[in-house]
Amino acid sequence: MSESLHIGILVEARYREQSQPAGLISALRKRGIRVSVIDPQTASCAMGDDGWLDGLDLIVARGRSYSLLCLLAWAESRGVRTINTKQSIAAVHNKAEMSVKLAAGNLPMPRSFFGNINRLVEETTRASYPLILKPVFGDNCAGLRVVGSADEMRRVEWREPVALAQSFLPTDGYDLNLYSIGDAVWAVRKPSPLDRINRTSCDGLFAELLPLTKELEEMARQCGEMFGLELFGVDCIETENGPVIIEVNNYPNYTGVPRASECLADYVISRALQESLL
């Protein structure tokens, strides 16, 4: 029955050749699943013409561009199942809103500030530094800036009207990443993204699979429920007081997760079959 499925992969060009969703696409096709790959930034659709959705049992999305979110909203309005949903991706696209939700959920996170750079200087104290500045809509390590003092922050040429600033927590150069596919969770130790700012891809970097503790599993599940995500990663830093959440990402590369592509294919097929039986 699964061979009759038709899965749409909605993926931005920058992710097309990365380990995901390339691995998922390959795993699905090896099982005889029909896969249509759609680039939201080159697709052209006439409003009211749902032809591009014909025969699709489910759409899996990798990216967070406005064009991708628009097509997801379109598909969902026509009753097509999506993973992740437009709402869940949008919930982690805006880093400031993400931090608000994490704080409201009492999840461990660095001390965070949001606002105009000049006002942030007034809100912070000497004890707040160093801080890491993040674009509200940045991703893939783009635009990150570490500042060591208020004077240094005043000299920053920040092109956006606002920024998210978080306490820069010391590490040994490695971060803890929690990856989830549905109910399954893995813990992976990887080099800190600050060591990768100048890289165009995070593929192929050293990653070590760690034992999954109950605390880490519950933290990942809470993030998934909070943002409505099915395929996601939680970037953490290990501190003397326990893990601290830096941010949550939709559909990561799952670097270091054993048989990630096969696990993704299993999950996507099960969700598609579940929907087709409704």
Side-chain angles (χ1 to χ4, degrees):
M1 182 177 179
S2 63
E3 290 79 5
S4 64
L5 292 175
H6 184 189
I7 307 297
I9 306 294
L10 191 60
V11 52
E12 296 167 14
R14 59 181 174 150
Y15 296 119
R16 180 72 179 267
E17 303 304 324
Q18 290 193 14
S19 57
Q20 296 301 335
L24 170 61
I25 293 170
S26 176
L28 289 173
R29 286 177 171 166
K30 285 179 180 178
R31 301 186 193 192
I33 307 297
R34 182 184 175 191
V35 178
S36 293
V37 180
I38 306 165
D39 183 342
Q41 293 165 307
T42 61
S44 177
C45 309
M47 293 297 177
D49 181 358
D50 300 331
W52 70 281
L53 293 168
D54 286 350
L56 290 177
D57 295 291
L58 180 144
I59 291 176
V60 181
R62 176 89 203 267
R64 50 181 63 180
S65 65
Y66 294 119
S67 52
L68 181 142
L69 294 175
C70 178
L71 291 182
L72 278 181
W74 186 338
E76 290 165 7
S77 72
R78 298 300 185 268
V80 179
R81 169 71 180 174
T82 59
I83 302 176
N84 292 299
T85 65
K86 183 261 183 184
Q87 182 176 353
S88 66
I89 294 174
V92 294
H93 185 197
N94 185 316
K95 294 183 186 297
E97 290 184 7
M98 178 200 307
S99 296
V100 168
K101 279 196 171 185
L102 290 172
N106 294 317
L107 284 162
M109 58 181 290
R111 188 180 183 193
S112 301
F113 307 86
F114 169 73
N116 177 273
I117 287 289
N118 294 328
R119 294 301 302 273
L120 285 178
V121 173
E122 298 176 9
E123 292 292 332
T124 54
T125 64
R126 181 177 298 180
S128 303
Y129 294 90
L131 289 171
I132 180 166
L133 300 178
K134 298 181 177 182
V136 172
F137 291 103
D139 62 8
N140 276 3
C141 313
L144 301 185
R145 180 75 177 269
V146 178
V147 293
S149 67
D151 287 339
E152 188 176 345
M153 177 127 59
R154 290 189 183 95
R155 295 193 298 270
V156 169
E157 294 184 6
W158 197 258
R159 297 182 179 181
E160 299 185 9
V162 294
L164 176 68
Q166 292 184 323
S167 296
F168 182 60
L169 302 177
T171 72
D172 60 356
Y174 290 86
D175 289 348
L176 171 66
N177 297 85
L178 305 178
Y179 292 121
S180 184
I181 300 174
D183 291 331
V185 180
W186 295 265
V188 176
R189 187 172 184 261
K190 295 196 316 186
S192 168
L194 288 181
D195 296 329
R196 310 196 300 259
I197 289 177
N198 295 322
R199 295 178 182 265
T200 57
S201 171
C202 295
D203 284 357
L205 293 170
F206 168 81
E208 175 189 5
L209 189 67
L210 301 177
L212 181 67
T213 66
K214 188 66 175 177
E215 177 188 13
L216 294 176
E217 183 177 11
E218 291 179 354
M219 183 181 295
R221 293 188 190 282
Q222 189 172 348
C223 287
E225 293 172 3
M226 178 179 294
F227 296 103
L229 292 162
E230 297 178 68
L231 308 180
F232 65 96
V234 184
D235 296 345
C236 305
I237 288 178
E238 296 180 276
T239 73
E240 59 183 13
N241 296 317
V244 173
I245 297 174
I246 303 302
E247 62 183 49
V248 180
N249 298 292
N250 58 290
Y251 196 172
N253 273 316
Y254 293 98
T255 304
V257 174
R259 301 182 63 255
S261 297
E262 288 71 23
C263 292
L264 284 164
D266 288 341
Y267 183 76
V268 168
I269 290 171
S270 69
R271 298 298 281 143
L273 288 175
Q274 187 178 53
E275 289 299 312
S276 67
L277 293 175
L278 294 180

